[in-house]
Amino acid sequence: MNYLVTGGAGFLGTALSNRLAKQGHNVRVLDDCSTGNPGDLLPEVTFVQGDINEKILLWKLLEDVDCVFHLAAKVSVPESCLFPSSYNLVNVSGTVTLMEAIRDTQVKRVVLASSGAIYGYQEEIPYHESAEVHPESPYAVSKLSAEHYVRTISAQCGVEAVCLRVFNAYGPGQRIPKSHPPIISNFLKHAMTNGTITIHGNGTQTRDYVYVDDVVNALVTASTAVGVDQQVINIGSGVETSVLELVRLVRQVTGKKPEEVYNPLKNGGSSRMCACIAKAKEKLNYIPLVPLETGLRLTIERDPQFRE
Ligand SMILES: NC(=O)c1ccc[n+]([C@@H]2O[C@H](COP(=O)([O-])OP(=O)(O)OC[C@H]3O[C@@H](n4cnc5c(N)ncnc54)[C@H](O)[C@@H]3O)[C@@H](O)[C@H]2O)c1
């Protein structure tokens, strides 16, 4: 098949594009390299640097494409609270521009990388797709808007659409920005260098950590699965892990004894998060294959950022 992966030079996008290329598909990547780095893409992948809001470029890239994976986005919850308009421009307007361009082409399906952040506070754990959502940050609002635009415009123009609400993905290739780094790569980096692990709050807050290869499995299946048009589907591990448990596992797999520092709780996150993955199992035959401890070991083994 012919695929376009927007944001394909990012963490998930690189893993997805390389997997598709290894399976023998034709893969084009559009990425503005604001955080992504095309250096890790296989030579078989065609890389184009550009912005998701460039419609004429999108038309060219969409020629003969069967399926679009839309991953291009700004992805930091805390940063979105500081710069909501830029999150709106990329994550919402960018999605609308892409959908307008898709409308004029022969694309058959769009798969959106949406987010578990959309749910916000929920009484019931794990989170079901049918739950009422309470987005608590501009990032979460932008991903929910993107879902609505993808589903509405695709339905109007006869293109199939699937939105995967990905929970906390981690694994080799995840970048570690200085401000607001993702928790797992941040903890691993500090552990490997015998630094300090900073825990916000008392460490009882929970997340659903899902290994990159499991997310890629779900994305790839979503591009061809039958009976998923217009569906929103959670993709996580289905396991709720506290920060304290994560720290214990990080100590175990690294064999290091980093110091722990407790800081006040930051805003912008639910105290508990966990995906119900029953729908993913039913619709995508999705089974997460990599438990957290194994995923942490693989991350250290495969990512040069964590070499001693
Ligand atoms: N990683 C996670 O835990 C997670 C969880 C839920 C949802 N998601 C979603 O998955 C997608 C990929 O996330 P990721 O973790 O790989 O993040 P990432 O930052 O590594 O990837 C996003 C990519 O989009 C590119 N991009 C940003 N603005 C762009 C623009 N204007 N035009 C073109 N490209 C642009 C970036 O350069 C980057 O390569 C995002 O849509 C994100 O919202 C990720």
Side-chain angles (χ1 to χ4, degrees):
M1 281 177 53
N2 295 328
Y3 288 104
L4 173 67
V5 182
T6 76
F11 164 49
L12 295 178
T14 299
L16 170 65
S17 303
N18 288 347
R19 170 84 69 86
L20 293 168
K22 277 185 198 152
Q23 290 176 341
H25 299 292
N26 295 316
V27 187
R28 286 174 207 160
V29 159
L30 170 70
D31 199 296
D32 72 348
C33 300
S34 49
T35 60
N37 171 9
D40 293 333
L41 289 168
L42 291 174
E44 295 86 343
V45 174
T46 305
F47 173 72
V48 175
Q49 184 166 2
D51 193 283
I52 193 67
N53 276 297
E54 288 177 63
K55 195 163 159 195
I56 293 169
L57 175 61
L58 284 169
W59 270 328
K60 276 194 213 146
L61 291 174
L62 288 168
E63 212 172 294
D64 301 323
V65 163
D66 302 297
C67 176
V68 176
F69 289 101
H70 180 34
L71 277 67
K74 293 170 87 65
V75 301
S76 160
V77 168
E79 189 189 60
S80 77
C81 299
L82 298 172
F83 307 109
S85 63
S86 66
Y87 273 68
N88 188 66
L89 180 64
V90 176
N91 297 5
V92 183
S93 296
T95 301
V96 177
T97 308
L98 174 68
M99 292 310 297
E100 261 185 34
I102 284 174
R103 196 178 55 184
D104 307 327
T105 66
Q106 302 303 312
V107 170
K108 297 171 194 69
R109 184 173 292 191
V110 186
V111 180
L112 172 70
S114 182
S115 172
I118 283 174
Y119 287 101
Y121 175 75
Q122 299 287 328
E123 294 255 332
E124 206 177 305
I125 300 276
Y127 297 0
H128 288 263
E129 290 85 350
S130 57
E132 192 180 313
V133 294
H134 308 280
E136 288 168 358
S137 67
Y139 169 72
V141 171
S142 74
K143 297 303 286 186
L144 181 59
S145 307
E147 272 189 9
H148 285 307
Y149 273 117
V150 164
R151 293 169 79 191
T152 310
I153 300 172
S154 62
Q156 283 172 348
C157 62
V159 173
E160 292 185 331
V162 192
C163 303
L164 299 189
R165 289 183 177 165
V166 179
F167 281 63
N168 284 63
Y170 71 97
Q174 189 163 36
R175 299 189 222 298
I176 316 176
K178 284 211 168 60
S179 65
H180 317 306
I183 184 166
I184 287 193
S185 42
N186 191 33
F187 280 8
L188 287 177
K189 186 182 96 179
H190 288 295
M192 292 305 285
T193 53
N194 281 313
T196 303
I197 286 185
T198 306
I199 297 165
H200 294 276
N202 60 11
T204 55
Q205 48 305 16
T206 63
R207 290 293 179 267
D208 179 327
Y209 300 105
V210 57
Y211 189 66
V212 56
D213 289 357
D214 285 327
V215 178
V216 170
N217 289 345
L219 286 162
V220 172
T221 310
S223 73
T224 54
V226 176
V228 292
D229 184 24
Q230 291 291 319
Q231 297 292 321
V232 168
I233 303 172
N234 288 339
I235 299 299
S237 64
V239 177
E240 195 182 0
T241 303
S242 71
V243 176
L244 293 177
E245 170 66 0
L246 178 61
V247 173
R248 190 188 70 74
L249 288 172
V250 165
R251 282 170 171 268
Q252 190 171 304
V253 301
T254 59
K256 308 276 185 186
K257 294 187 172 51
E259 201 188 322
E260 289 163 28
V261 166
Y262 287 81
N263 274 0
L265 197 60
K266 289 194 286 192
N267 288 336
S270 309
S271 57
R272 292 180 69 189
M273 270 183 91
C274 188
C276 170
I277 52 172
K279 188 171 178 184
K281 281 184 183 155
E282 185 206 323
K283 300 276 182 193
L284 303 174
N285 281 327
Y286 168 77
I287 295 172
L289 299 175
V290 184
L292 183 53
E293 186 180 335
T294 311
L296 293 174
R297 287 188 200 284
L298 290 172
T299 305
I300 296 171
E301 267 168 43
R302 294 180 180 176
D303 192 330
Q305 293 182 105
F306 303 117
R307 301 250 159 83
E308 285 178 276

